[in-house]
Amino acid sequence: MRTTVAVRNISKMLDHFSQYNPSPLSIKQFIDFGRNPCERTSFTFLRKELPVRLANIMKEIHLLPENLLRTPSANLVNQWYAQSFKDLLKFKDLEVSDKILTQFCESLIMIRNRHSDTVQTMAQGVLELKENYPVDQQTENSIQYFLDRLYMSRISIRMLINQHTLLFGTDLNVTSNSRHVGSIDPNCDVVSIVRDAYENARFLCDQYYLASPELQLFEHNRNMPNAPIQVVYVPSHLYHMLFELFKNSMRAVMEFHGDKETVPPVVANISLGNEDVCIKVSDIGGGIARSQIELLFNYMYSTAPQPSKSASPTVPLAGYGYGLPLSRLYARYLQGDLVLQSCEGFGTDAVVYLKALSSEANELLPVFNKTSSRFYKTTI
Ligand SMILES: CS(=O)(=O)N1CCC(Oc2ccc(-c3c(C(=O)NC[C@H]4CC[C@H](C(=O)O)CC4)noc3-c3cc(Cl)c(O)cc3O)cc2)CC1
């Protein structure tokens, strides 16, 4: 009896919170709040906004094709969301106190840990679907649409959780870089992130190919030619995108020129204009046909059994995963983009666009509404 009542209650709460649209924040708002942070204000905002963002995506999870939702892995992810939603509802009408604030922080850390393997687990769910059911084009389209929205929602929820726990948490492991505001660097030096990402991709490349392309790096600061190019951004997001692009460029170059004495360098051009920061990663790796580009962002196409660690001790440079589609979501999350321009038989340019102005870098959030739910109905 209790279970039925509890389930009915959760379902009512899900309907209640999913009626609200998520409230996007700009990176400027994150910074301005973080420079003079108030934990009670953050708590009051998050104890509603997090259930709203969870409820919006949970309503879409429930609209997924039955064959995917029934897979053990997708079902597990669904249970994680339901549990986290319940955890947050405990704070809904509570009187704020120091004790409640501490418990809230602890709950956020527990929620973040619970969902840490969502991407891999959903990829396993897609694999279970492919192995047990025929997947028609319509189902593939709805899965592509859903996973883009699930991972964008997840990026945004983890951003809110990270800002609160970094600003107010007692986690001593956090090497609080005094300049940073939570996970944001107000003066993120783009060149240093590019060099970090290149060096780490190069390490993997050397391990796998016993050689790697050099990096040529150029800066073009439109209004202040000799000043370093800086942006208000989340360094870990930028690193994630660039690490992926360098891995892909190095793989293409080594596969295309691997039999030669020397291989051509990978070239990074970084520019700052009035609106955009651009990081273009260019290679002469043979390029890829225009008809294949979309497949590189396709979750179904890129989901294959993970090579077992024991079978191949060295991690393949750009193995199967979701590196590229997730990188594009990171770029789009704050109104940027990630665009590929490949010339088959020659090479590839990959451009990361970021907003130069923090006031324009607003969160891009999926909203559950008639349009989005109609998408599932017509494509299932
Ligand atoms: C879903 S994912 O995110 O997990 N991930 C996506 C990435 C994929 O790995 C890769 C990596 C590189 C490439 C690649 C090729 C390529 O391979 N060409 C092939 C032909 C080159 C000539 C050759 C010839 O003519 O002889 C015949 C083949 N060419 O250009 C690129 C390239 C791609 C990106 Cl995105 C880039 O940023 C830079 C690049 O140079 C493709 C696929 C693992 C999976």
Side-chain angles (χ1 to χ4, degrees):
M1 181 55 183
R2 234 159 51 100
T3 322
T4 325
V5 169
V7 168
R8 198 176 303 125
N9 233 350
I10 290 292
S11 170
K12 254 173 63 186
M13 283 290 107
L14 207 45
D15 291 341
H16 169 73
F17 281 99
S18 61
Q19 285 167 18
Y20 293 93
N21 285 351
S23 309
L25 297 173
S26 73
I27 209 154
K28 183 177 185 312
Q29 285 175 294
F30 278 119
I31 285 276
D32 292 347
F33 175 79
R35 282 194 166 131
N36 183 21
C38 167
E39 187 170 1
R40 287 168 185 251
T41 307
S42 184
F43 166 76
T44 308
F45 171 71
L46 289 181
R47 71 169 169 182
K48 179 180 177 195
E49 183 61 18
L50 286 171
V52 166
R53 294 192 185 190
L54 283 174
N56 269 261
I57 199 64
M58 285 170 72
K59 293 294 268 187
E60 295 201 21
I61 292 175
H62 301 158
L63 287 175
L64 277 175
E66 273 302 310
N67 291 345
L68 175 59
L69 203 46
R70 274 205 212 103
T71 62
S73 297
N75 183 47
L76 182 59
V77 170
N78 189 24
Q79 284 172 30
W80 292 343
Y81 272 82
Q83 185 56 54
S84 298
F85 185 64
K86 274 186 246 170
D87 290 352
L88 288 165
L89 287 183
K90 292 173 192 160
F91 296 92
K92 183 168 172 297
D93 302 313
L94 290 184
E95 192 70 25
V96 194
S97 68
D98 288 350
K99 184 167 169 254
I100 294 299
L101 291 174
T102 305
Q103 285 172 355
F104 184 69
C105 233
E106 288 163 356
S107 293
L108 293 186
I109 290 166
M110 199 169 58
I111 289 167
R112 182 174 58 202
N113 294 340
R114 179 182 291 132
H115 293 253
S116 54
D117 290 343
T118 297
V119 175
Q120 299 88 320
T121 310
M122 276 313 293
Q124 183 56 34
V126 168
L127 215 54
E128 290 157 5
L129 172 74
K130 285 167 76 169
E131 286 166 352
N132 298 295
Y133 304 97
V135 181
D136 60 24
Q137 190 58 52
Q138 292 194 2
T139 303
E140 184 172 322
N141 293 345
S142 70
I143 288 171
Q144 185 71 20
Y145 176 80
F146 167 73
L147 289 180
D148 266 346
R149 295 163 68 82
L150 175 72
Y151 298 142
M152 186 68 93
S153 164
R154 180 174 182 271
I155 289 169
S156 81
I157 289 167
R158 295 179 87 79
M159 180 71 181
L160 295 183
I161 290 176
N162 290 339
Q163 288 306 104
H164 187 86
T165 54
L166 286 168
L167 290 173
F168 308 113
T170 53
D171 185 355
L172 299 177
N173 304 346
V174 172
T175 48
S176 64
N177 180 321
S178 55
R179 284 190 314 109
H180 286 204
V181 179
S183 63
I184 302 166
D185 182 348
N187 306 92
C188 180
D189 183 274
V190 178
V191 164
S192 62
I193 308 289
V194 169
R195 290 197 185 284
D196 274 355
Y198 166 77
E199 289 303 334
N200 289 325
R202 180 184 204 179
F203 176 78
L204 290 179
C205 189
D206 285 332
Q207 259 193 335
Y208 196 70
Y209 293 100
L210 306 180
S212 55
E214 293 299 323
L215 171 67
Q216 287 181 354
L217 192 152
F218 302 98
E219 275 191 280
H220 316 275
N221 192 331
R222 169 77 177 67
N223 299 327
M224 297 163 71
N226 300 316
I229 293 176
Q230 297 182 339
V231 63
V232 184
Y233 206 73
V234 184
S236 61
H237 290 187
L238 183 55
Y239 174 85
H240 185 288
M241 297 179 233
L242 295 171
F243 181 54
E244 184 61 31
L245 296 183
F246 279 121
K247 284 192 295 179
N248 295 337
S249 284
M250 289 182 186
R251 169 173 137 166
V253 168
M254 296 315 290
E255 292 294 329
F256 197 57
H257 298 279
D259 53 343
K260 296 176 186 122
E261 267 301 296
T262 58
V263 298
V266 174
V267 181
N269 276 284
I270 302 156
S271 59
L272 169 62
N274 295 323
E275 272 189 45
D276 302 324
V277 171
C278 301
I279 304 108
K280 180 164 72 173
V281 178
S282 307
D283 65 63
I284 312 176
I288 190 164
R290 190 162 59 96
S291 64
Q292 304 303 300
I293 290 288
E294 198 179 335
L295 285 178
L296 296 180
F297 294 96
N298 184 297
Y299 296 103
M300 290 292 282
Y301 171 77
S302 57
T303 304
Q306 292 301 311
S308 68
K309 297 267 183 313
S310 50
S312 57
T314 50
V315 176
L317 196 54
Y320 287 100
Y322 289 167
L324 203 60
L326 284 179
S327 296
R328 187 166 65 176
L329 291 176
Y330 274 115
R332 290 178 171 178
Y333 167 56
L334 290 168
Q335 304 297 327
D337 207 349
L338 188 158
V339 176
L340 291 184
Q341 195 91 49
S342 198
C343 298
E344 189 185 17
F346 174 66
T348 301
D349 285 356
V351 185
V352 173
Y353 295 96
L354 308 178
K355 282 292 182 187
L357 303 175
S358 58
S359 54
E360 291 188 1
N362 301 302
E363 288 183 291
L364 177 65
L365 304 176
V367 178
F368 174 71
N369 54 27
K370 283 198 180 58
T371 312
S372 57
S373 41
R374 202 177 297 130
F375 184 94
Y376 292 100
K377 287 194 178 51
T378 51
T379 61
I380 287 177

